[in-house]
Amino acid sequence: MGKVGAGGGSQARLSALLAGAGLLVLCAPGVCGGGSCCPPPHPSSAPRSASTPRGFSHQGRPGRAPATPLPLVVRPLFSVAPGDRALSLERARGTGASMAVAARSGRRRRSGADQEKAERGEGASRSPRGVLRDGGQQEPGTLERDPDKATRFRMEELRLTSTTFALTGDSAHNQAMVHWSGHNSSVILILTKLYDYNLGSITESSLWRSTDYGTTYEKLNDKVGLKTILSYLYVCPTNKRKIMLLTDPEIESSLLISSDEGATYQKYRLNFYIQSLLFHPKQEDWILAYSQDQKLYSSAEFGRRWQLIQEGVVPNRFYWSVMGSNKEPDLVHLEARTVDGHSHYLTCRMQNCTEANRNQPFPGYIDPDSLIVQDHYVFVQLTSGGRPHYYVSYRRNAFAQMKLPKYALPKDMHVISTDENQVFAAVQEWNQNDTYNLYISDTRGVYFTLALENVQSSRGPEGNIMIDLYEVAGIKGMFLANKKIDNQVKTFITYNKGRDWRLLQAPDTDLRGDPVHCLLPYCSLHLHLKVSENPYTSGIIASKDTAPSIIVASGNIGSELSDTDISMFVSSDAGNTWRQIFEEEHSVLYLDQGGVLVAMKHTSLPIRHLWLSFDEGRSWSKYSFTSIPLFVDGVLGEPGEETLIMTVFGHFSHRSEWQLVKVDYKSIFDRRCAEEDYRPWQLHSQGEACIMGAKRIYKKRKSERKCMQGKYAGAMESEPCVCTEADFDCDYGYERHSNGQCLPAFWFNPSSLSKDCSLGQSYLNSTGYRKVVSNNCTDGVREQYTAKPQKCPGKAPRGLRIVTADGKLTAEQGHNVTLMVQLEEGDVQRTLIQVDFGDGIAVSYVNLSSMEDGIKHVYQNVGIFRVTVQVDNSLGSDSAVLYLHVTCPLEHVHLSLPFVTTKNKEVNATAVLWPSQVGTLTYVWWYGNNTEPLITLEGSISFRFTSEGMNTITVQVSAGNAILQDTKTIAVYEEFRSLRLSFSPNLDDYNPDIPEWRRDIGRVIKKSLVEATGVPGQHILVAVLPGLPTTAELFVLPYQDPAGENKRSTDDLEQISELLIHTLNQNSVHFELKPGVRVLVHAAHLTAAPLVDLTPTHSGSAMLMLLSVVFVGLAVFVIYKFKRKIPGINVYAQMQNEKEQEMISPVSHSESRPNVPQTELRRPGQLIDEKVESQLIGE
């Protein structure tokens, strides 16, 4: 709903005046610089309390509809939420409680002539610009004018009955919240706070209470605790005697509850921090509380005890049941997030919300932050295929997709109103940027037709979308809208819910009675419809249920709406004609059912006067409400119907206390009105008396009578009209042409409405027209334009489609997938449907009705399946195909490739997956210095490196919505040596077989080798291999210092290799894994047993082992002598036109096989006893 935003820093103006207001929040100057003086309330200090949500408000306040993306609706709130700007106006519909926030801007006392002028009245001793003084006296320098058409101002100063009370001791407090019970109650509560801008928190608070309509106040700090810091004030919307105060959770988290209008309080501790509250619309003790950790709690005892309902609830997406649509009054609707971030719609009872008792009315997930429950409607959004789709449930029946014109292709949607069993929505279509189209629905909220194109929108400070649409209070079906035409914004009005729109006729004369030359359609009156985020700026528009003919707004006359040269205008005949009443901005309050208008000028100067009009703005009298000029921060009218007492909040200087001026208007009335004081007034639109199918006559007080109206009498009489074409709008799929006829749109097939119809049954055949919802006309053309029952024709199946319920082309292995069969036309009751799922399973159905909830199927294997559906009846057949990708979640990706390679050798890299079969995959590879990736459908690639150095290889595997990656580093040299290592068996007991452990153990082994041999660490690379038994690869690398000198030769590598294998053979390499656990490192081709038997006697096996060692030693000597090669050391060198494949570790070979389960991989242990032969790649 509409918000009144933060005021500018140094420009102090009068805040919005509320008709029937009951709660006001004020802000005083702080260290706010040029921005708003009211900071956003501290998250823990300003919770939000909401009443039953409504999409549009017209309770005597601006009705521009702020909107948010599908979620469809913005809820009017009973108080300010954390994070909201302090300056705001939000009202709980039907409760009579409202809230405004006004800013006390930094001002300085003036001196000299300026101060004297200000104390004489509004900063200047003169009448409003260019107006007539009493008696028709013309001001000097003005032109000839018509005195009868000029707005008259009585400059004689009259005095209103008023008293002033100062909140002594609160001069430093810069925020205040005011609650006025109203409805024959004299109690007013005020909570003042000191908000520290540097700390971002509330540091002091005071609670004041008045029992005499604001004449005097009592400070209640001792009753709530002298050290207690209060952060927020709540009032039960259904019982104003019940008050709730929230303490600042940075000090303590508690509630103070009163049941006697704030006279006494009881404190209750909380074990959670409240962020927002939602009162039940009927049960005064039932409350929902939303915590800062996204948990939802319920209380059936007005906050004295709380029970957890649900965790992971989306902020502001929880609702009470709606009477008439829900049978259980304690049913709670909420949107909750799953652990993986998805949202779903749940319902449950407030005191029994267990897993077993929760329901999910909408199957599957919904878009985050999209659930709205409003009146008889529930809205959700689901995005598929890159497009948002909107669903609605009417009276809690099954969800149906909302039908807009076929090529509207909405980017954004906001539900503005759900009054009178109809949805009014603003839709931003694919080709719009700053405008929206207005659509209006049928009763179920399913089929939408266009009401008005290109309505202006803007974005508020909080990022919320504001639609320039205003619903006039008290007159059903009457709206004002600002439409953009050729980059010009113009104001239009409708009296029949958007069926017809016209421009506003400008006044005939201006304020002074001079004629206004403004010819339609080139010139008209344009109004600011938005609820300004700053109550002191343009955007004021007001109407009231009890004064249905009176509209007051700011605007201008010309070819388009302008932000300059703004004046105030009033209409006393429901928008047919308008009069200019001020040439400067004023705020207007309705008194006595709208019988009296009160106007206060927007000014940065202190004021002590206001203007009153008893004749609907034709003449104004000047009244003083205080003897000392006051900087006005806000005005609060008495809640209820009469509104005869008003409290003005302000201060005399920048550092003074809050001054509360109680103004009593009872003295301006002579007496109570009698029947003879009224006259009849008929509602009309440019002379047409039939509005929404009825003639309505209202009672109006005669302008010359100054009597008090009291209770609103409403319309005197209402008479239905005979139906004409003007009472009917075009039906869904039809468009109105220039001749006024509704004809089918090019994309619409009228016969498609009978697609769910079976032979022998009947359906409503549209005439292209539908009666405007809530139109009360009778007879006339109603029969001609109303849809007619018609027998269902026999039709062959046509337009068959098969889709998944969520619109996706993927399904998960082992989980249900719901398939929907859709048929544009055909006899659905006498049709045979055969569905083949493509996995060897097929089913048959005898009619489509048995498939309304979809066909559920579980695929046990991954792959791409061809799903076919065949539909047959006696008149023909049709078929459709869906190619469904069944996948399973990809859990892990491991990139397998050599640790070291030589220049110009082909390297194979393989992505090993777990699980191995996951469906259709896409692989994205980055390697070397390439800036562009290589994209493949295979899990292996080959490449070469042409220069030495370290290179990074990254693979990303895309499986459905999941993308996993692995990165490895490979060293490239002209030549190197490698040797397989094994370890004593005790290492396997501590091997968790994870990459992190292998990297750490590799560093420990390298350190042990360096210490045992003295070989520099730059020559050694150790890579521990996956699997059990634990093995590792030892690489002997050439090293070149950064200057490019002292590069090791081939002979150097051989010498290092000899030293390493000799040291390993001597069991000289070991490390301590943990205290008491010593691990030996061996060459893998040697046995793990010691070379020397340490037992007293020699066994045969020991002798055999010794002989084996001698034999190996001789072989080493011979090869070294004649081949200069070392057994067990693999030699790698660069060769041109190499034909042989590069040798890598056995585990790398096994890992290089794509899509092989890990259980099938060859483990290094399987090769530990294999003979490791020398392989000469090149000299």
Side-chain angles (χ1 to χ4, degrees):
M1 286 345 352
K3 288 187 177 180
V4 179
S10 60
Q11 293 296 321
R13 300 186 180 184
L14 182 65
S15 72
L17 292 162
L18 308 180
L23 186 61
L24 175 73
V25 181
L26 305 169
C27 293
V31 228
C32 50
S36 164
C37 286
C38 281
H42 190 273
S44 63
S45 67
R48 172 158 45 190
S49 164
S51 67
T52 304
R54 298 277 180 176
F56 197 85
S57 174
H58 49 75
Q59 297 295 322
R61 62 185 173 94
R64 166 165 155 143
T68 54
L70 216 90
L72 307 160
V73 179
V74 175
R75 303 190 295 178
L77 306 173
F78 183 70
S79 44
V80 175
D84 283 357
R85 302 193 64 83
L87 273 139
S88 63
L89 165 62
E90 308 197 87
R91 174 181 183 138
R93 187 176 193 142
T95 64
S98 300
M99 180 199 61
V101 184
R104 268 174 70 175
S105 302
R107 311 176 181 91
R108 299 175 181 172
R109 280 192 176 272
R110 292 165 300 143
S111 58
D114 289 340
Q115 181 67 23
E116 293 176 2
K117 290 180 181 179
E119 293 180 355
R120 287 197 299 268
E122 289 102 48
S125 177
R126 60 184 178 90
S127 63
R129 182 175 49 173
V131 302
L132 292 176
R133 298 183 184 273
D134 284 345
Q137 180 182 354
Q138 183 176 325
E139 292 186 358
T142 58
L143 301 174
E144 291 295 331
R145 57 186 64 86
D146 183 355
D148 295 332
K149 294 187 177 181
T151 301
R152 296 181 296 276
F153 290 85
R154 181 184 180 90
M155 301 309 298
E156 175 188 353
E157 181 176 314
L158 304 175
R159 176 73 183 174
L160 290 169
T161 303
S162 65
T163 59
T164 301
F165 187 88
L167 301 184
T168 306
D170 288 354
S171 60
H173 290 192
N174 52 16
Q175 293 183 0
M177 300 183 65
V178 186
H179 165 68
W180 193 342
S181 293
H183 302 283
N184 301 318
S185 172
S186 61
V187 174
I188 301 177
L189 288 173
I190 300 179
L191 172 62
T192 65
K193 301 176 286 185
L194 172 59
Y195 182 88
D196 191 305
Y197 292 82
N198 297 320
L199 298 178
S201 62
I202 298 168
T203 57
E204 293 180 17
S205 67
S206 295
L207 182 64
W208 300 81
R209 184 173 186 261
S210 172
T211 58
D212 52 11
Y213 290 96
T215 303
T216 60
Y217 289 84
E218 176 191 3
K219 199 169 187 176
L220 302 182
N221 284 25
D222 57 336
K223 293 188 178 181
V224 299
L226 293 175
K227 295 184 178 180
T228 299
I229 297 179
L230 302 174
S231 61
Y232 211 73
L233 167 69
Y234 299 92
V235 182
C236 176
T238 54
N239 184 352
K240 302 298 172 42
R241 295 182 59 83
K242 292 190 174 182
I243 310 295
M244 184 181 293
L245 296 169
L246 181 66
T247 62
D248 186 353
E250 293 190 0
I251 308 299
E252 61 174 328
S253 183
S254 301
L255 287 176
L256 288 94
I257 297 174
S258 172
S259 299
D260 51 11
E261 288 190 284
T264 59
Y265 293 90
Q266 291 177 303
K267 180 180 281 190
Y268 296 88
R269 298 275 184 182
L270 295 174
N271 58 3
F272 62 95
Y273 297 127
I274 292 178
Q275 180 169 316
S276 61
L277 291 180
L278 182 68
F279 289 99
H280 194 277
K282 299 294 183 182
Q283 301 291 333
E284 60 187 52
D285 289 334
W286 292 3
I287 308 174
L288 297 179
Y290 185 75
S291 69
Q292 294 182 12
D293 56 356
Q294 298 186 341
K295 295 178 181 178
L296 187 65
Y297 296 84
S298 68
S299 173
E301 302 176 53
F302 199 71
R304 293 173 177 84
R305 292 182 180 85
W306 296 93
Q307 177 177 329
L308 178 65
I309 292 182
Q310 175 71 33
E311 298 182 359
V313 177
V314 178
N316 297 325
R317 298 300 167 205
F318 49 93
Y319 309 85
W320 284 111
S321 62
V322 177
M323 302 308 294
S325 290
N326 294 109
K327 296 179 181 179
E328 307 89 355
D330 62 341
L331 190 70
V332 177
H333 304 257
L334 58 92
E335 178 183 332
R337 284 200 179 100
T338 61
V339 292
D340 55 359
H342 292 99
S343 288
H344 50 179
Y345 166 32
L346 303 177
T347 60
C348 63
R349 309 287 288 272
M350 64 177 288
Q351 298 293 330
N352 188 21
C353 196
T354 62
E355 188 72 33
N357 293 317
R358 294 187 192 121
N359 294 317
Q360 191 169 348
F362 187 84
Y365 297 128
I366 64 176
D367 285 358
D369 201 31
S370 73
L371 171 67
I372 293 297
V373 180
Q374 182 165 313
D375 295 326
H376 296 306
Y377 301 90
V378 180
F379 302 93
V380 296
Q381 174 179 314
L382 179 63
T383 299
S384 62
R387 293 182 184 175
H389 301 279
Y390 308 104
Y391 294 84
V392 62
S393 167
Y394 178 63
R395 291 189 178 273
R396 310 305 180 257
N397 292 315
F399 278 88
Q401 186 170 348
M402 298 165 67
K403 301 290 187 180
L404 294 166
K406 185 174 183 179
Y407 296 107
L409 305 179
K411 298 188 296 186
D412 191 19
M413 176 186 284
H414 306 294
V415 170
I416 295 174
S417 170
T418 53
D419 293 342
E420 301 173 335
N421 293 326
Q422 189 173 40
V423 180
F424 215 148
V427 177
Q428 188 171 63
E429 301 187 9
W430 64 274
N431 57 349
Q432 294 178 304
N433 294 317
D434 59 350
T435 61
Y436 282 73
N437 289 348
L438 294 181
Y439 284 90
I440 196 163
S441 78
D442 61 350
T443 300
R444 295 190 303 130
V446 175
Y447 293 99
F448 285 78
T449 56
L450 183 65
L452 184 65
E453 291 183 297
N454 296 319
V455 177
Q456 180 71 9
S457 71
S458 59
R459 191 172 293 275
E462 303 293 333
N464 54 314
I465 298 296
M466 309 290 286
I467 310 296
D468 270 10
L469 179 71
Y470 181 81
E471 183 175 9
V472 178
I475 300 180
K476 181 173 58 176
M478 183 176 175
F479 290 85
L480 292 162
N482 283 332
K483 178 178 179 179
K484 194 171 186 179
I485 304 174
D486 297 330
N487 292 322
Q488 290 185 326
V489 178
K490 302 174 183 286
T491 301
F492 287 78
I493 189 170
T494 180
Y495 293 87
N496 52 12
K497 278 196 170 181
R499 196 267 188 202
D500 301 291
W501 296 84
R502 63 172 175 82
L503 293 166
L504 295 180
Q505 177 67 58
D508 294 332
T509 60
D510 63 10
L511 190 70
R512 295 162 293 185
D514 294 331
V516 173
H517 302 288
C518 186
L519 182 64
L520 289 173
Y522 311 103
C523 173
S524 59
L525 175 64
H526 310 286
L527 304 178
H528 291 277
L529 306 180
K530 58 189 175 185
V531 176
S532 173
E533 292 292 338
N534 182 352
Y536 310 134
T537 61
S538 61
I540 301 302
I541 181 169
S543 59
K544 189 175 178 65
D545 285 322
T546 56
S549 64
I550 303 175
I551 309 170
V552 182
S554 64
N556 64 279
I557 299 171
S559 60
E560 63 178 324
L561 183 66
S562 172
D563 290 326
T564 61
D565 194 24
I566 297 173
S567 299
M568 298 298 298
F569 298 88
V570 65
S571 173
S572 56
D573 57 3
N576 286 282
T577 61
W578 295 80
R579 294 187 305 277
Q580 186 179 10
I581 53 175
F582 297 104
E583 286 187 329
E584 295 170 288
E585 288 186 81
H586 286 65
S587 288
V588 177
L589 175 70
Y590 291 77
L591 293 180
D592 187 34
Q593 311 295 351
V596 179
L597 300 179
V598 180
M600 275 190 177
K601 182 181 178 181
H602 287 177
T603 176
S604 60
L605 304 176
I607 61 174
R608 61 188 182 91
H609 299 106
L610 51 77
W611 298 89
L612 292 181
S613 175
F614 289 84
D615 54 6
E616 300 174 341
R618 292 179 179 85
S619 62
W620 296 83
S621 299
K622 186 177 183 180
Y623 285 81
S624 63
F625 64 91
T626 177
S627 58
I628 303 175
L630 185 75
F631 289 103
V632 178
D633 299 311
V635 180
L636 185 65
E638 177 188 9
E641 295 181 344
E642 296 186 0
T643 313
L644 297 175
I645 297 177
M646 185 174 74
T647 301
V648 181
F649 302 84
H651 56 287
F652 294 136
S653 69
H654 176 60
R655 295 298 179 187
S656 70
E657 292 89 357
W658 294 99
Q659 303 293 327
L660 310 181
V661 182
K662 172 190 172 183
V663 183
D664 192 337
Y665 291 95
K666 293 187 179 72
S667 61
I668 66 175
F669 297 102
D670 301 329
R671 55 184 170 80
R672 286 273 183 178
C673 292
E675 189 65 30
E676 61 270 15
D677 294 313
Y678 293 94
R679 63 179 177 87
W681 173 79
Q682 185 171 52
L683 174 65
H684 66 94
S685 170
Q686 299 297 298
E688 173 56 55
C690 285
I691 304 294
M692 293 292 288
K695 297 178 181 179
R696 292 180 177 87
I697 298 177
Y698 296 84
K699 288 199 317 184
K700 275 193 175 187
R701 193 187 61 191
K702 296 176 181 178
S703 60
E704 66 274 11
R705 307 294 173 88
K706 290 189 177 182
C707 57
M708 186 189 305
Q709 294 192 112
K711 189 175 182 180
Y712 174 61
M716 290 178 58
E717 56 185 68
S718 177
E719 176 187 348
C721 298
V722 174
C723 291
T724 66
E725 189 267 344
D727 296 306
F728 291 81
D729 206 348
C730 290
D731 203 352
Y732 174 78
Y734 291 80
E735 296 174 338
R736 191 176 301 280
H737 288 244
S738 57
N739 60 1
Q741 289 186 328
C742 294
L743 300 176
F746 75 93
W747 49 267
F748 181 67
N749 179 13
S751 65
S752 64
L753 293 178
S754 64
K755 66 180 181 179
D756 296 329
C757 199
S758 297
L759 191 64
Q761 296 181 341
S762 299
Y763 74 101
L764 289 176
N765 186 20
S766 175
T767 62
Y769 299 84
R770 71 182 183 197
K771 191 177 178 183
V772 175
V773 175
S774 300
N775 187 293
N776 296 323
C777 73
T778 59
D779 300 330
V781 299
R782 184 177 63 172
E783 183 67 22
Q784 176 185 345
Y785 282 15
T786 301
K788 306 294 191 300
Q790 185 170 324
K791 291 292 184 181
C792 297
K795 292 185 179 181
R798 191 183 68 82
L800 179 65
R801 294 178 63 224
I802 182 168
V803 296
T804 59
D806 57 6
K808 298 179 180 178
L809 297 176
T810 60
E812 191 172 329
Q813 177 191 11
H815 290 72
N816 265 324
V817 57
T818 302
L819 300 171
M820 310 296 294
V821 177
Q822 301 172 350
L823 187 65
E824 284 190 11
E825 61 181 47
D827 189 346
V828 297
Q829 296 297 328
R830 293 175 172 81
T831 301
L832 176 65
I833 303 101
Q834 301 177 68
V835 181
D836 187 338
F837 297 105
D839 60 350
I841 300 176
V843 294
S844 297
Y845 298 88
V846 294
N847 58 64
L848 280 176
S849 301
S850 59
M851 305 165 56
E852 288 181 352
D853 296 330
I855 308 169
K856 291 181 170 54
H857 184 65
V858 177
Y859 286 90
Q860 301 299 335
N861 300 307
V862 299
I864 303 176
F865 295 88
R866 186 176 186 267
V867 185
T868 59
V869 58
Q870 176 83 19
V871 177
D872 298 275
N873 67 13
S874 59
L875 299 176
S877 64
D878 198 2
S879 61
V881 177
L882 171 69
Y883 294 97
L884 186 66
H885 294 243
V886 178
T887 64
C888 68
L890 181 61
E891 299 178 12
H892 178 70
V893 173
H894 170 71
L895 180 57
S896 173
L897 76 164
F899 299 101
V900 186
T901 187
T902 57
K903 289 168 52 178
N904 297 316
K905 288 296 180 64
E906 189 174 79
V907 177
N908 293 320
T910 300
V912 182
L913 312 178
W914 178 258
S916 59
Q917 300 295 327
V918 294
T920 306
L921 302 172
T922 302
Y923 300 83
V924 184
W925 307 83
W926 283 268
Y927 59 91
N929 296 322
N930 293 347
T931 57
E932 294 294 329
L934 175 65
I935 301 176
T936 68
L937 297 178
E938 298 293 333
S940 298
I941 62 170
S942 299
F943 46 86
R944 300 173 185 267
F945 294 103
T946 59
S947 59
E948 291 185 286
M950 303 299 293
N951 292 273
T952 299
I953 313 294
T954 297
V955 62
Q956 291 182 334
V957 183
S958 174
N961 294 327
I963 298 179
L964 299 182
Q965 78 171 32
D966 191 20
T967 300
K968 293 292 172 60
T969 301
I970 183 172
V972 180
Y973 296 98
E974 289 188 359
E975 57 178 340
F976 63 90
R977 305 291 188 270
S978 72
L979 175 67
R980 183 63 59 84
L981 302 178
S982 62
F983 307 91
S984 52
N986 58 348
L987 181 60
D988 293 343
D989 298 334
Y990 302 94
N991 184 354
D993 199 19
I994 60 175
E996 294 87 346
W997 184 89
R998 292 194 289 269
R999 285 194 294 268
D1000 290 339
I1001 292 297
R1003 286 193 294 269
V1004 173
I1005 298 169
K1006 177 178 177 179
K1007 181 180 178 182
S1008 301
L1009 286 169
V1010 171
E1011 292 176 352
T1013 61
V1015 175
Q1018 296 89 341
H1019 288 290
I1020 298 176
L1021 173 64
V1022 177
V1024 179
L1025 304 176
L1028 293 173
T1030 309
T1031 58
E1033 193 84 10
L1034 169 62
F1035 297 94
V1036 182
L1037 309 174
Y1039 173 70
Q1040 186 173 4
D1041 59 27
E1045 302 175 354
N1046 302 324
K1047 182 176 181 180
R1048 296 285 185 174
S1049 63
T1050 302
D1051 292 339
D1052 294 332
L1053 293 181
E1054 292 174 353
Q1055 291 176 9
I1056 295 173
S1057 302
E1058 290 177 16
L1059 178 58
L1060 288 170
I1061 198 169
H1062 176 73
T1063 306
L1064 289 167
N1065 288 340
Q1066 296 300 318
N1067 286 341
S1068 300
V1069 182
H1070 54 80
F1071 61 90
E1072 191 171 14
L1073 185 66
K1074 58 186 297 186
V1077 180
R1078 188 164 175 261
V1079 179
L1080 296 178
V1081 185
H1082 314 284
H1085 70 285
L1086 298 175
T1087 177
L1091 294 177
V1092 180
D1093 192 350
L1094 302 180
T1095 58
T1097 59
H1098 299 282
S1099 65
S1101 60
M1103 292 299 296
L1104 181 60
M1105 183 182 299
L1106 182 59
L1107 290 174
S1108 299
V1109 170
V1110 172
F1111 175 78
V1112 171
L1114 289 174
V1116 169
F1117 174 78
V1118 171
I1119 295 175
Y1120 177 75
K1121 185 70 176 176
F1122 297 102
K1123 294 289 187 179
R1124 300 289 295 172
K1125 300 299 171 197
I1126 305 171
I1129 295 291
N1130 298 319
V1131 181
Y1132 298 87
Q1134 178 186 3
M1135 286 185 62
Q1136 300 297 328
N1137 301 320
E1138 180 60 54
K1139 300 296 184 182
E1140 299 181 64
Q1141 291 294 320
E1142 175 188 5
M1143 177 180 178
I1144 60 174
S1145 64
V1147 104
S1148 298
H1149 278 302
S1150 62
E1151 287 178 343
S1152 67
R1153 294 178 295 174
N1155 298 334
V1156 178
Q1158 289 184 353
T1159 54
E1160 300 177 12
L1161 297 177
R1162 294 183 66 195
R1163 302 187 181 278
Q1166 296 175 282
L1167 300 164
I1168 194 167
D1169 295 327
E1170 294 182 4
K1171 183 176 179 181
V1172 182
E1173 296 180 349
S1174 170
Q1175 180 179 2
L1176 179 61
I1177 301 301
E1179 292 296 330

